[in-house]
Amino acid sequence: MSVFLTKLPFYAKLSNLSNKNNITSVPSKYLSRLLLLTISTQSNINHHQYKTFSTINYEVNNRLAYITLNRPEVLNSINDLMPKELSECVEKANNDPSVHVIILSGAGKAFCSGYDLTYYAQTKTNNAVQEMPWDPIKDYKFMKKNTEYFMSLFYSLKPTLCKIHGDALAGGSDIALCCDIILMANEARIGYMPARVWGCPTTAMWIYRLGIEKAKRMLLTGDKITGIEAEKLGLVLKSVSQEELNTEVEKLAQRMATIPINQLVMQKLMINQALDNMGLRTTQMFATIFDGIARHSPEGLAFKRRAENLGWKVAVKERDLGTYDWTADASIEIKNEHNDNKS
């Protein structure tokens, strides 16, 4: 319970505890019980619109917090600010006694297309690649911070549901897979294509969701798969038609929202600790370091040069089709009738 109170320091804001004298007059051994009882019975069903972040939209309605990635003009691609604002919104929802469940989605045509490659790959001056010789620990600190921001969804005391439409690719898949439960549109796509060159999924959630063989199937190909296949692999809870997606997510979230917050927190902490005991943090440490190596390897630098010289769309197409030898830094011709299926 001490963890819960540390994460949710809002007792002074509760209406029936608004008088500071009331708080100090309650014996300490009963205070935590009183707070948890008040929190779990809180049923604020009013709609709240909070200040608009630069990259996120945050709203609360009927016990649900809605966090929406809000850069639709670039398919919600990740810039330097989005990971931090995402974490701030998760914290806001955890600190709100009216919120029981968090729903994460994306505005516009997609959930999230990954990191903004116009900035990170195509532009010559940015944080993605250092001047040589590079400092791997400096790179690790930068990427570890983003990993921790994404993982705020996993370590959120309150349940997090992810609603995927359109694409959830590369860094966008990192964000989605940090959520507790994912529902996906049938035709939506998810994948980590930088596994082919220039990346390693820093959150490493593929292995914990899929197991050894299926995680290798995804990361040793860098393929994108639809919601239907993602459900078959066990990567997401459910795949439904685009028309049914909102209804299915709302139905599940509202079902959870009828449960007291303290019960939701206890169940989630109990389940999450199993992954921590399996070495989740250690795996993420290696994955984040490997991600830095992938961007500074000879092949990674070749990809970066290609993106700078020809544009990231050309480099990404060559990466995903397998028509470029990044080690030789030269185009190759692969006669494979299945190539078209990987675009």
Side-chain angles (χ1 to χ4, degrees):
M1 292 303 139
S2 61
V3 175
F4 185 86
L5 294 175
T6 300
K7 288 288 186 180
L8 301 177
F10 49 73
Y11 49 85
K13 300 178 183 178
L14 298 178
S15 58
N16 59 341
L17 291 176
S18 58
N19 188 330
K20 187 175 181 181
N21 293 329
N22 289 342
I23 297 175
T24 56
S25 64
V26 177
S28 59
K29 67 178 180 178
Y30 297 120
L31 181 57
S32 62
R33 292 183 186 178
L34 177 59
L35 294 175
L36 290 175
L37 178 62
T38 305
I39 294 164
S40 63
T41 57
Q42 183 78 15
S43 59
N44 182 356
I45 63 173
N46 296 325
H47 177 273
H48 301 284
Q49 172 79 50
Y50 292 85
K51 75 163 188 172
T52 303
F53 294 87
S54 297
T55 65
I56 307 283
N57 189 52
Y58 181 84
E59 299 179 56
V60 172
N61 188 27
N62 197 22
R63 294 189 170 193
L64 306 180
Y66 296 85
I67 299 176
T68 307
L69 307 181
N70 194 29
R71 301 185 73 217
E73 69 282 359
V74 287
L75 301 179
N76 300 315
S77 61
I78 303 163
N79 62 10
D80 284 345
L81 189 57
M82 181 183 283
K84 184 175 186 295
E85 289 195 337
L86 172 63
S87 178
E88 289 172 352
C89 287
V90 173
E91 182 179 12
K92 183 183 288 289
N94 274 272
N95 288 343
D96 187 340
S98 72
V99 171
H100 287 230
V101 179
I102 299 168
I103 296 177
L104 176 67
S105 62
K109 296 181 179 180
F111 171 74
C112 178
S113 60
Y115 279 90
D116 188 342
L117 294 185
T118 300
Y119 174 71
Y120 288 106
Q122 190 168 298
T123 304
K124 293 187 177 182
T125 56
N126 56 63
N127 293 324
V129 175
Q130 299 175 32
E131 294 290 336
M132 289 296 180
W134 69 290
D135 182 347
I137 300 304
K138 180 180 179 181
D139 187 275
Y140 172 72
K141 287 172 64 178
F142 170 73
M143 289 307 300
K144 181 175 183 290
K145 186 176 295 184
N146 277 6
T147 301
E148 290 173 347
Y149 288 147
F150 296 161
M151 285 295 287
S152 66
L153 293 159
F154 178 82
Y155 288 112
S156 163
L157 293 178
K158 297 176 181 180
T160 54
L161 304 185
C162 184
K163 177 172 62 178
I164 296 178
H165 75 291
D167 287 342
L169 304 176
S173 70
D174 273 332
I175 294 175
L177 295 180
C178 287
C179 290
D180 298 317
I181 296 174
I182 303 172
L183 280 79
M184 194 168 173
N186 290 337
E187 302 305 316
R189 301 183 303 173
I190 189 169
Y192 194 87
M193 305 86 68
R196 299 184 62 83
V197 71
W198 216 59
C200 179
T202 61
T203 64
M205 293 304 289
W206 295 89
I207 176 63
Y208 295 98
R209 284 184 171 272
L210 288 177
I212 296 291
E213 188 171 29
K214 292 175 182 176
K216 288 180 178 178
R217 178 262 179 272
M218 292 302 302
L219 297 182
L220 297 181
T221 63
D223 284 347
K224 300 181 284 284
I225 58 174
T226 66
I228 294 173
E229 187 173 356
E231 180 184 343
K232 289 179 180 178
L233 289 177
L235 185 64
V236 303
L237 176 70
K238 194 173 185 180
S239 177
V240 298
S241 69
Q242 179 67 52
E243 294 73 23
E244 297 176 302
L245 185 59
N246 287 339
T247 300
E248 288 293 326
V249 172
E250 290 288 327
K251 185 190 304 182
L252 180 57
Q254 288 293 350
R255 176 62 174 166
M256 291 181 180
T258 62
I259 297 175
I261 291 175
N262 53 16
Q263 284 292 121
L264 293 171
V265 171
M266 286 186 283
Q267 310 312 323
K268 181 168 176 177
L269 286 175
M270 182 270 294
I271 297 169
N272 278 10
Q273 62 81 33
L275 271 68
D276 278 329
N277 289 340
M278 291 168 62
L280 173 60
R281 292 178 189 271
T282 303
T283 303
Q284 289 180 341
M285 178 191 70
F286 281 110
T288 304
I289 289 176
F290 287 165
D291 185 64
I293 294 174
R295 280 179 281 106
H296 293 85
S297 68
E299 291 80 4
L301 294 177
F303 176 85
K304 183 69 164 63
R305 286 192 300 270
R306 198 79 172 156
E308 290 175 0
N309 296 332
L310 299 178
W312 68 264
K313 291 183 179 180
V314 172
V316 164
K317 184 176 181 180
E318 293 174 331
R319 176 198 67 190
D320 294 356
L321 291 178
T323 57
Y324 200 83
D325 186 331
W326 302 103
T327 303
D329 199 5
S331 297
I332 56 176
E333 187 69 32
I334 297 180
K335 295 181 180 180
N336 187 334
E337 62 181 4
H338 298 295
N339 270 350
D340 291 339
N341 295 330
K342 307 304 181 187
S343 58

